[in-house]
């Protein structure tokens, strides 16, 4: 019996233990935009794995390619972009080999996405209930209208929308930002068969209380229905709160890849160290000390030179070492991968220490 006041389950699947086997594998994914000015390599050789029932966070500054990688998984790359090479496997199925009809059957059912700004994703002239029901009509055409309506109410209650019987007729502008985001999550999980939820900056523009509630909801879904989550964010506080593993992305490439504990305790790439140092610290020598900032900005992907993509912003860069070919991802300890040729030097440098 569920406890009083608890939300009903979205599906009856048993919980899945932490990442015993891969659910999704991406191998050397490359998504390019062919423009008049040249080729923009938005996703440049990305490889990663999402385990069964885990939360994998992808972090990095705006413009690093996180959202375009997510859109590539769903094969929703906007024109003039296209996936030029790579493999995307979901539970042993090659998504790149599917035709549009087969991909449409997977998109919105087995793999779903919650976009960054719900007000821009929801249709302002349709009610929340109609928009959730539309997903069911597309993927469960045999479902009657009455069953659909009951399912919509169940979904709204399951994601924590109070009084769903009244809110089902509400329009997006009549809901708060947090309620709109919950409605987007209900749409993503409507079919009940979601294996992978891609969440693109799901807590942006939400206050800290609502943000905590949304994060708690993701954790409940992960534990309760065995769903995996690919969480795209620039907020390392969010990552520390819920992620099992972390992929740090910079200028279209993964530069560090590790379990969350290893990454926070012993980062190996200067970009990751910079991101961690830029967080407000509990222990500082002076309350008036300025926050650390990584110098420069993400480079224009049209004008990238040879070698390490981060070298123009890196205090440890040496032209003879960092200026040749782009360094490969190398495993510096079990399950901890870094794309840097100077990791040992950087870790030994006192400037690289991250305060706790």
């Amino acid at each position: 019996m569920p406890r009083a006041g608890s939300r009903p389950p979205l599906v009856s699947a048993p919980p899945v233990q932490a990442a015993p086997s891969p659910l999704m594998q991406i191998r050397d994914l490359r998504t390019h935009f062919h423009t008049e000015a040249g080729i923009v390599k938005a996703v440049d050789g990305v490889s990663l794995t999402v385990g069964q029932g885990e939360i994998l966070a992808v972090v990095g500054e705006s413009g690093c390619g996180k959202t375009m990688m997510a859109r590539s998984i769903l094969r929703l790359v906007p024109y003039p972009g296209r996936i030029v090479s790579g493999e995307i496997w979901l539970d042993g199925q090659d998504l790149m080999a599917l035709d549009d009809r087969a991909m449409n059957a997977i998109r919105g059912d087995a793999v779903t996405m919650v976009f960054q700004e719900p007000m821009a994703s929801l249709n302002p002239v349709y009610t929340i209930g109609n928009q959730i029901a539309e997903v069911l009509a597309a993927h469960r055409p045999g479902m009657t209208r009455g069953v659909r309506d009951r399912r919509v109410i169940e979904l709204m209650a399951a994601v924590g929308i109070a009084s769903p019987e009244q809110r089902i007729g509400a329009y997006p502008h009549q809901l708060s930002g947090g309620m709109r985001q919950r409605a987007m999550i209900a749409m993503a999980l409507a079919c009940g068969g979601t294996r992978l939820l891609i969440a693109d900056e799901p807590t942006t523009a939400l206050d800290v209380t609502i943000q905590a509630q949304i994060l708690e909801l993701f954790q409940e879904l992960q534990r309760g229905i065995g769903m995996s989550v690919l969480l795209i964010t620039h907020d390392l506080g969010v990552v520390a709160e819920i992620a099992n593993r972390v992929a740090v992305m910079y200028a279209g490439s993964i530069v560090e890849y590790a379990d969350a504990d290893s990454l926070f305790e012993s980062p190996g790439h200067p970009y990751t160290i910079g991101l961690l140092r830029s967080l407000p610290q509990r222990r500082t020598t002076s309350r008036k000390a300025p926050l650390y900032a990584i110098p420069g900005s993400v480079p224009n992907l049209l004008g990238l030179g040879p070698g390490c993509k981060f070298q123009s912003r890196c205090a440890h860069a040496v032209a003879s070492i960092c200026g040749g070919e782009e360094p490969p991802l190398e495993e510096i300890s079990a399950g901890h991968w870094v794309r840097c040729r100077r990791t040992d030097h950087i870790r030994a440098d006192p400037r690289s220490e991250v305060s706790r």
Side-chain angles (χ1 to χ4, degrees), residues 273-351:
I273 293 169
L275 291 176
L276 292 172
R277 288 185 64 195
S278 66
L279 293 173
Q281 305 297 331
R282 292 192 297 270
R283 301 176 187 174
T284 56
T285 55
S286 170
R287 290 189 177 185
K288 296 182 180 180
L291 291 174
Y292 175 81
I294 302 173
S297 58
V298 179
N300 185 338
L301 299 183
L302 275 171
L304 286 176
C308 175
K309 295 176 180 177
F310 188 64
Q311 61 181 306
S312 64
R313 305 174 68 185
C314 182
H316 306 276
V318 175
S320 60
I321 298 174
C322 308
E325 295 182 356
E326 184 178 13
L329 268 176
E330 294 183 329
E331 193 170 22
I332 61 172
S333 61
H336 192 158
W337 298 76
V338 176
R339 191 184 297 275
C340 180
R341 293 192 173 93
R342 307 207 72 207
T343 298
D344 291 341
H345 165 83
I346 291 166
R347 282 181 157 180
D349 193 321
R351 294 176 297 173

Side-chain angles (χ1 to χ4, degrees), residues 3 27 29 54 81 106 149 166 170 197 209 233 257 267 285 293 301 341:
R3 67 182 185 276
R27 300 172 184 165
L29 180 64
E54 79 163 345
I106 289 194
D149 289 345
Q166 285 75 47
L197 174 65
T209 302
T233 184
Y257 189 36
T285 55
L301 299 183
R341 293 192 173 93

Side-chain angles (χ1 to χ4, degrees), residues 175-199:
L175 301 179
S176 67
M179 289 297 105
R180 288 195 293 264
Q181 194 62 285
R182 290 173 187 272
M184 290 292 295
I185 296 170
M187 290 174 64
L189 304 176
C191 295
T194 302
R195 305 295 311 284
L196 174 66
L197 174 65
I198 302 171

Side-chain angles (χ1 to χ4, degrees), residues 213-230:
Q213 293 174 0
I214 296 296
L215 295 178
E216 182 183 4
L217 176 58
F218 282 130
Q219 290 175 302
E220 289 179 6
L221 293 170
Q222 179 205 21
R223 292 190 297 262
I225 66 176
M227 180 184 70
S228 300
V229 179
L230 180 64

